Amino acid sequence: MLNSMYTNTSNAQDIYYKISNTLSSDCYDISSFKLIIETETAGTPIHLVLCDDVSNDGVETLSLSQFDDEVLDGASPTDYDVKYYESQAEADAGGPGLNTSIFTTFSSNQELFARLENKATDCFSTSSFNVIINDTPTAYVRKIYLFVTMALMAVKPFLI
């Protein structure tokens, strides 16, 4: 009989259990399950910094799938799914996730959450990263004014 804490001795270990009727010791069943410890963790993508378009509204459209390799962090895309969410709670719950082909940010600094899920076991790990949209700088054209002085008949430029 095991206590409440158990330390496995190998990964993918068979655990056997017995369920018995407390009123009759002759009434019981023995069965087993496989204990699998998932060790893969989601990689953390570096923050993505983009320049805003001329509107400087902090909203841009991008492809989230560009982060897949960083989230997989060496894990096989054959064995793992990568999905993206707008909150940690959504990432923990799972579900379809965001459209990875066309995603539109809603603020100039938005945290997104990645979920790496084992296709066979449904075990998962999450990480987060920021999409930062910087304002596009405005270039100012320097104006040169020419003043002609009659006394010297010379042109003297000066900058404003």
Side-chain angles (χ1 to χ4, degrees):
M1 178 184 260
L2 294 175
N3 292 330
S4 60
M5 296 298 290
Y6 174 76
T7 302
N8 65 310
T9 56
S10 64
N11 201 0
Q13 181 177 6
D14 290 322
I15 304 293
Y16 295 90
Y17 61 92
K18 177 180 177 180
I19 298 175
S20 59
N21 184 329
T22 57
L23 300 177
S24 172
S25 61
D26 292 336
C27 185
Y28 65 90
D29 190 23
I30 297 176
S31 191
S32 67
F33 62 91
K34 189 169 289 290
L35 177 62
I36 300 171
I37 307 300
E38 185 64 48
T39 58
E40 204 64 57
T41 58
T44 303
I46 59 170
H47 300 308
L48 177 64
V49 180
L50 301 171
C51 287
D52 204 349
D53 56 23
V54 294
S55 70
N56 278 335
D57 60 0
V59 176
E60 288 299 312
T61 300
L62 60 126
S63 170
L64 294 175
S65 59
Q66 66 183 302
F67 299 106
D68 286 1
D69 287 342
E70 292 176 69
V71 174
L72 285 163
D73 195 26
S76 170
T78 304
D79 300 328
Y80 291 88
D81 279 329
V82 176
K83 295 179 183 173
Y84 300 92
Y85 301 87
E86 291 181 315
S87 74
Q88 182 68 58
E90 290 172 343
D92 289 342
L98 299 171
N99 182 341
T100 58
S101 300
I102 301 173
F103 172 73
T104 302
T105 62
F106 61 80
S107 74
S108 60
N109 188 357
Q110 184 173 355
E111 185 176 23
L112 295 176
F113 299 84
R115 177 183 171 114
L116 179 68
E117 184 173 330
N118 185 309
K119 293 176 182 179
T121 65
D122 295 330
C123 291
F124 69 92
S125 174
T126 63
S127 64
S128 68
F129 61 98
N130 289 320
V131 176
I132 302 163
I133 312 295
N134 289 328
D135 285 347
T136 299
T138 303
Y140 293 98
V141 177
R142 292 174 47 173
K143 295 182 181 180
I144 299 176
Y145 293 95
L146 300 176
F147 290 90
V148 178
T149 60
M150 295 305 279
L152 299 174
M153 292 302 287
V155 176
K156 295 180 181 178
F158 72 94
L159 301 175
I160 296 183

